[in-house]
């Protein structure tokens, strides 16, 4: 999509939207950023809190090297600059779910510098810049629904490691913002540095939106906090941009502020003003030495990276998969793993991709199962596709066999053997059935020979039906052409 493609029409003409995303991604680790407390989702409130997380006096933070490793690997996956020297800072503010009265973050010297993420919009590729990735602690969680007059505090999340991934203001439409977030989530899940479960809060986006007349200076932006799905991010952009245009066109001004998105009402609401001059009194954390990474550590991080979505997509296309199917197959890491296993078991790229995206996805959707829960393994699927490829069964028979596989768990070969489903290429048997079909349909035969060649498909269907779908379609076509020409 070209930048001129998305415009919002107002009373004074067209407006352009400018978007940047700050994505908070919870780092995949068994322990928190500076303590040994567990990080598992769904635990009882305040059961995963160390003395450090609760800010008891005299407790000193110790960096969790696994959290640092995962952030470095994420930076490498987007070709970002990795800073061998970085430092933690204290961001001072007071809130009921922040026991220390400050958050340990990285303002001045982040772990990861500039990188980029490529997105595909309507067949066109666009590069979205990433400004930085820094590592910081999460805060706790206030619970307002546990008591009629009091709010409770759950500190299980306090001290959990977050990567804040800050984009440049390079996006110009809701679709681009959605594609960027989906691509970033995919990369994180391939790398294994974040599970990407947005519904559980382990990945959430702060959406920065401003509007301007095309080509003008950037307008004043607002930040809509903690948006937790790709769809909601796209809605936030559209709703907030239209709100800002209405304000500006009615003679008002946009206030730089923090807002919240209400999906039920389809609106954003003001939460608090946020001026650039807001004083968090940042200073280097006196309890933590700077992080200094050596080449051995960085080499090990790089060596641990898997094949990433773009490289995998290119490999699939080279194996005969259509670009569209390749995009579908690489969007989720679990789907790509299944498809890779299918290829490793000998399935051919084009046929395998069509089968996965149509037959398998359709069946799993009906069953309400994920691809990881598929009743038919990749090895079983490869056997089924192999039976079609070598002519043992036809494509239509393969659908019947697949349904039986889903119900019974049996292998395709066993089902075909036990139920006598092998297709026949016996020309004598097929010729006899063709002769019978032509004899039963003299009217259609006369019309075909009179020039109505579209009836060829009718004769193919009748022959296949008479043979219970077991005739080799290629042989049927060849023999029918001869018989109809006679």
């Amino acid at each position: 999509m070209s930048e001129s493609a998305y415009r919002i029409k107002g009373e004074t003409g067209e407006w352009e939207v400018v978007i940047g995303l700050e994505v908070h991604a919870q780092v995949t680790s068994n322990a928190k950023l500076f303590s040994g407390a567990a990080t598992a989702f769904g635990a009882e409130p305040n059961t995963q809190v160390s003395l450090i997380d609760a800010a008891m006096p005299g407790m000193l933070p110790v960096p969790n090297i696994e959290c640092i490793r995962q952030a470095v690997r994420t930076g490498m996956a987007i070709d970002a600059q990795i800073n061998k020297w970085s430092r933690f800072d204290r961001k001072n503010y007071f809130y009921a779910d922040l026991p220390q009265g400050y958050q340990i973050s990285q303002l001045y010297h982040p772990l990861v510098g500039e990188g980029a993420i490529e997105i595909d919009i309507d067949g066109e590729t666009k590069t979205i810049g990433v400004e930085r990735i820094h590592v910081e602690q999460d805060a706790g969680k206030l619970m307002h629904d546990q008591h009629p007059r009091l709010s409770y505090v759950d500190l299980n999340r306090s001290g959990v490691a977050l990567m804040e991934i800050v984009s440049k203001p390079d996006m110009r439409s809701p679709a681009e913002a959605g594609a960027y977030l989906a691509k970033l989530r995919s990369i994180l899940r391939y790398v294994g540095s974040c599970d990407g479960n947005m519904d559980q809060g382990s990945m959430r986006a702060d959406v920065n939106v401003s509007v301007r007349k095309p080509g003008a200076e950037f307008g004043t932006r607002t930040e809509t906090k903690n948006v937790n799905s790709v769809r909601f991010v796209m809605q936030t952009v559209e709703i907030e941009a239209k709100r800002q245009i209405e304000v500006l066109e009615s003679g008002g001004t946009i206030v730089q502020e923090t807002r919240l998105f209400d999906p039920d009402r389809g609106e954003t609401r003001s939460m608090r003003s946020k001026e650039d001059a807001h004083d968090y009194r940042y200073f280097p954390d006196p309890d933590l030495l700077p992080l200094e990474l050596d080449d051995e550590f960085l080499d090990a991080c790089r060596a641990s990276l898997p094949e990433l979505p773009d490289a995998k997509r290119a490999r699939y296309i080279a194996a005969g998969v259509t670009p569209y199917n390749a995009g579908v197959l690489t969007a989720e890491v679990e789907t790509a793993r299944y498809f890779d296993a299918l290829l490793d078991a000998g399935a051919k790229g084009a046929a395998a991709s069509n089968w996965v995206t149509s037959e398998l996805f359709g069946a799993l959707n009906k069953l309400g199962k994920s691809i990881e829960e598929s009743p038919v393994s990749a090895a079983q699927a490869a056997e089924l596709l192999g039976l079609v490829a070598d002519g043992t069964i036809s494509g239509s028979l393969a659908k019947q066999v697949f349904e039986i596989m889903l119900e019974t768990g049996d292998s395709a070969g066993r089902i075909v053997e036990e139920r006598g489903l092998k297709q026949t290429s016996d020309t004598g048997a097929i010729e006899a059935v063709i002769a019978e079909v032509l004899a039963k349909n003299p009217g259609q035969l006369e019309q075909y020979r009179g020039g109505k060649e579209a009836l060829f498909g009718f004769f193919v269907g009748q022959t296949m039906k008479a043979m219970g779908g077991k005739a080799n379609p290629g042989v049927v076509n060849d023999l029918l052409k001869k018989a109809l020409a006679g």
Side-chain angles (χ1 to χ4, degrees), residues 344-357:
D344 290 342
K348 303 300 179 188
S353 72
N354 290 334
W355 182 83
V356 168
T357 55

Side-chain angles (χ1 to χ4, degrees), residues 224-465:
T224 304
K225 298 286 286 185
N226 294 330
V227 184
N228 66 350
S229 79
V230 171
R231 182 165 60 92
F232 287 168
V233 163
M234 294 171 70
Q235 287 180 13
T236 296
V237 171
E238 190 171 356
I239 290 165
E240 178 59 14
K242 286 179 178 175
R243 184 194 71 83
Q244 290 185 20
I245 290 167
E246 287 175 9
V247 169
L248 292 169
E249 290 190 329
S250 63
T253 56
I254 302 300
V255 178
Q256 184 172 334
E257 62 181 352
T258 301
R259 299 182 70 84
L260 291 175
F261 172 64
D262 185 337
D264 296 326
R265 295 187 179 183
E267 64 181 20
T268 65
R269 291 200 303 274
S270 180
M271 182 180 169
R272 60 177 179 262
S273 66
K274 185 174 183 180
E275 302 297 335
D276 280 330
H278 191 97
D279 184 13
Y280 286 118
R281 303 187 317 284
Y282 280 98
F283 60 86
D285 192 297
D287 292 335
L288 289 161
L289 291 169
L291 286 172
E292 297 189 43
L293 309 179
D294 59 28
D295 290 334
E296 185 180 356
F297 176 79
L298 297 179
D299 290 344
C301 288
R302 197 174 299 281
S304 73
L305 289 177
E307 183 182 39
L308 294 166
D310 287 347
K312 201 175 282 287
R313 184 170 179 269
R315 176 165 61 83
Y316 289 171
I317 292 171
V321 178
T322 65
Y324 176 80
N325 276 357
V328 172
L329 293 168
T330 55
E332 295 289 346
V333 66
E334 292 84 4
T335 306
R337 285 176 187 151
Y338 188 98
F339 189 67
D340 278 337
L342 203 49
L343 295 180
D344 290 342
K348 303 300 179 188
S353 72
N354 290 334
W355 182 83
V356 168
T357 55
S358 57
E359 303 299 325
L360 181 62
F361 281 0
L364 293 175
N365 192 41
K366 283 183 184 175
L367 293 169
K369 292 181 180 291
S370 69
I371 200 162
E372 293 172 292
E373 302 167 320
S374 173
V376 175
S377 70
Q380 289 176 313
E383 182 189 10
L384 174 64
L385 291 168
L387 293 174
V388 176
D390 67 14
T392 302
I393 57 174
S394 64
S396 59
L397 277 176
K399 293 184 179 183
Q400 294 179 38
V401 173
F402 178 49
E403 287 179 7
I404 298 168
M405 291 170 73
L406 288 168
E407 291 172 13
T408 65
D410 288 343
S411 71
R414 181 176 177 181
I415 292 167
V416 168
E417 194 64 42
E418 289 183 351
R419 306 200 183 202
L421 295 175
K422 284 185 180 177
Q423 73 176 6
T424 179
S425 297
D426 181 343
T427 54
I430 295 172
E431 283 174 340
V433 171
I434 287 174
E436 194 176 318
V437 167
L438 297 185
K440 284 183 179 178
N441 298 280
Q444 286 87 343
L445 178 60
E446 187 177 339
Q447 289 177 52
Y448 177 85
R449 287 176 172 165
K452 197 171 180 180
E453 294 185 0
L455 281 167
F456 183 78
F458 165 78
F459 290 113
V460 171
Q462 291 298 306
T463 305
M464 295 297 290
K465 182 179 177 182

